[in-house]
């Protein structure tokens, strides 16, 4: 009945796969002390995906709609040795994910 399947799984030959999962909640960069409005359940979900699809290592991303209060990627969250969770905005008008800049935490880049 229940499947452990992310919204997107990107696999490239010779490279580690990574999981992307989209959410339709609003988050707020100003709420850093309250985890930006992110939920623990979302972190558990992505942690489980990392173990099923990536052997517990690599990069994962939660994607939320871009707003005035969430316009750039958040610093990555360390979920364990070799496992990073990125939180990225999706610009609905431009229909694109806003990726982290090179050097912003040794994350993934397409």
């Amino acid at each position: 009945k229940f499947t452990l399947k992310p919204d997107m799984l990107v696999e490239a030959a010779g490279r580690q796969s990574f999981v992307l999962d989209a959410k339709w909640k609003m988050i707020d960069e100003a709420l850093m002390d309250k985890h930006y409005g992110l939920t623990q359940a979302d972190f558990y979900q992505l942690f489980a995906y990392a173990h099923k699809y990536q052997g517990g290592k690599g990069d994962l991303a939660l994607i939320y709609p871009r707003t005035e209060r969430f316009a750039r990627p958040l610093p990555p969250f360390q979920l364990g040795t070799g496992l990073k969770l990125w939180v990225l905005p999706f610009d609905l008008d431009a229909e694109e994910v806003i990726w982290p800049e090179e050097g912003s935490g040794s994350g993934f880049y397409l």
Side-chain angles (χ1 to χ4, degrees), residues 4-110:
L4 190 59
K5 188 174 176 183
D7 292 331
M8 293 165 267
L9 177 64
V10 178
E11 297 177 298
R15 296 182 68 188
Q16 170 126 12
S17 63
F18 60 95
V19 170
L20 301 136
D21 204 63
K23 306 293 181 191
W24 291 103
K25 302 177 260 185
M26 300 297 176
I27 63 171
D28 189 337
E29 292 175 44
L31 297 175
M32 185 166 59
D33 61 329
K34 295 185 178 166
H35 309 293
Y36 308 99
L38 300 167
T39 67
Q40 188 170 356
D42 292 338
F43 277 71
Y44 281 136
Q45 179 183 19
L46 272 285
F47 186 78
Y49 290 157
H51 284 273
K52 181 173 181 180
Y53 293 97
Q54 297 177 205
K57 295 188 185 306
D59 292 292
L60 308 146
L62 280 168
I63 300 170
Y64 291 87
R66 179 178 185 239
T67 65
E68 287 183 13
R69 299 185 67 80
F70 178 53
R72 57 192 163 89
L74 297 178
F77 293 88
Q78 300 292 329
L79 298 183
T81 304
L83 184 59
K84 276 186 198 164
L85 175 63
W86 296 82
V87 179
L88 308 174
F90 183 83
D91 186 326
L92 295 167
D93 294 324
E95 297 182 354
E96 65 183 13
V97 172
I98 299 169
W99 297 95
E101 294 179 17
E102 239 179 290
S104 64
S106 301
F108 56 87
Y109 306 99
L110 294 179

